[in-house]
Amino acid sequence: MSKQKISLAHLAKPTESVDELLLGPMRPTPASVSIPEAPKDEEDTQKSFTLRLYASMLHELQAIKEAQPRRKPKSIHSFIIEAIEEKIKKERRKSSAK
């Protein structure tokens, strides 16, 4: 019984960079992006998805949470949602100024 040789040549040079493997393929951003507002007549349902963060960023968020007053602590989830809302408002202002 002879052993079959397995070629590992295709593993020597990955076709994707480490960033592409970790973050997905990079897409060029268009020069001018208009951010459409959500339609008012449709029901605004919640969607859920997985958010991947670096451990260092999560530790910073936990430190911010722990530094808040004990009476009204803000969850990491609500902190992230507020940051997203602020970014959307900023982008809308920027795109409407053009």
Side-chain angles (χ1 to χ4, degrees), residues 67-86:
Q68 293 175 354
R70 295 275 181 205
R71 289 187 184 165
K72 269 193 161 177
K74 196 177 291 185
S75 69
I76 292 175
H77 175 266
S78 60
F79 184 85
I80 292 171
I81 295 298
E82 281 182 18
I84 293 170
E85 288 172 345
E86 288 175 15

Side-chain angles (χ1 to χ4, degrees), residues 2 12 18 43 47 57 59 66 73 76 78 93:
S2 64
V18 174
E43 185 180 335
K47 303 288 183 181
M57 191 180 292
H59 290 303
E66 291 170 3
I76 292 175
S78 60
R93 277 184 265 139

